[in-house]
Amino acid sequence: MDLRARLRRGLSDLGLGPDADLLEALLAHRDLLLDWNPTAGLVSTDDARPEGLLRHQLESLQALPHLRGPGPVVDVGAGGGFPGLIWALADRERRCILVEGSTRKAAFLREAARVLALGQVVVEHRRLENAADLAGLGGRILTSRAAAAADLLLEAASISSGDSQVSHGEDLVLVLYPGQDEANRLSGLSPAGLTLVADEPLISGAAGRLLVWRSSSPTPF
């Protein structure tokens, strides 16, 4: 089965197919990433293959059913665009803030947003110093595929879950993709104001899990 057919089947398995526009956008993202990867180091050598990129794209899309509300999304260490840029391709109304400390990777994300006509995507070229800085970006959906960012996001989500936006009826969602051992640690945590609502094996069959926490908005009187 060729890559296009495999991607089409993967989208169907996720309940996203047939969606010809999304399929073509994902293929365009793949081609752009492969062009930039030798100089920007967006993914590892093993992942810089059609099969590796397909896996990352489908794992990113796996989280879509858990993304409540319009966002904005904040993706920390967005790199090659997994998952934030992929979410933006699937929902062109959802505002996405992609935070990336590497100059070259940030340049790739800006170029990808331009080429893929993602006007709702903002690229922040910066390194976040602490959880308060991350919470200050105002994200209502926080994510990262960088293992080192997990504790920072959990702390920022705890801060953000108590802010005034939640009291006006908008939940906060935290999405992480840890490896198996890290998932065991993280799933046992109880961040203030958040509840673990999903713990799923990755759709690709790769080692690791999809973990999703959500705050509960107060019921209005």
Side-chain angles (χ1 to χ4, degrees):
M1 185 182 298
D2 66 21
L3 184 64
R4 180 182 294 271
R6 291 173 61 190
L7 180 55
R8 185 180 294 110
R9 185 177 69 177
L11 293 177
S12 179
D13 290 344
L14 288 167
L16 298 172
D19 186 333
D21 290 341
L22 177 57
L23 188 148
E24 294 302 325
L26 291 169
L27 291 172
H29 166 260
R30 180 203 66 185
D31 291 345
L32 188 62
L33 188 149
L34 290 174
D35 285 343
W36 278 67
N37 199 57
T39 56
L42 301 165
V43 295
S44 69
T45 301
D46 286 342
D47 285 337
R49 298 173 292 113
E51 296 81 2
L53 297 182
L54 174 65
R55 174 176 73 83
H56 284 306
Q57 289 178 332
L58 294 179
E59 289 172 1
S60 297
L61 293 169
Q62 182 180 349
L64 287 181
H66 303 291
L67 306 187
R68 287 187 180 175
V73 168
V74 174
D75 182 0
V76 178
F82 309 111
L85 191 76
I86 303 301
W87 294 351
L89 288 174
D91 182 354
R92 292 177 177 267
E93 299 300 317
R94 191 188 305 278
R95 183 167 178 260
C96 293
I97 302 170
L98 308 181
V99 183
E100 177 53 60
S102 162
T103 299
R104 191 64 177 162
K105 290 178 181 178
F108 162 76
L109 292 168
R110 290 194 180 99
E111 178 66 2
R114 185 190 69 80
V115 170
L116 299 169
L118 296 172
Q120 84 278 28
V121 168
V122 175
V123 178
E124 290 269 353
H125 176 211
R126 58 185 290 195
R127 296 188 185 278
L128 296 168
E129 299 296 330
N130 52 55
D133 285 347
L134 172 53
L137 291 175
R140 305 312 303 160
I141 301 169
L142 306 180
T143 193
S144 179
R145 296 210 58 163
D151 289 324
L152 177 70
L153 266 75
L154 283 164
E155 185 180 351
S158 295
I159 294 171
S160 297
S161 67
D163 72 18
S164 60
Q165 292 187 56
V166 172
S167 66
H168 285 84
E170 187 177 0
D171 290 354
L172 181 133
V173 179
L174 170 62
V175 180
L176 297 176
Y177 293 82
Q180 292 287 5
D181 290 342
E182 180 71 348
N184 291 336
R185 179 183 77 85
L186 294 173
S187 63
L189 300 180
S190 299
L194 299 172
T195 301
L196 184 68
V197 295
D199 182 348
E200 303 172 2
L202 297 176
I203 189 173
S204 66
R209 294 185 348 232
L210 170 67
L211 300 182
V212 182
W213 288 262
R214 182 176 295 121
S215 68
S216 296
S217 301
T219 302
F221 292 102

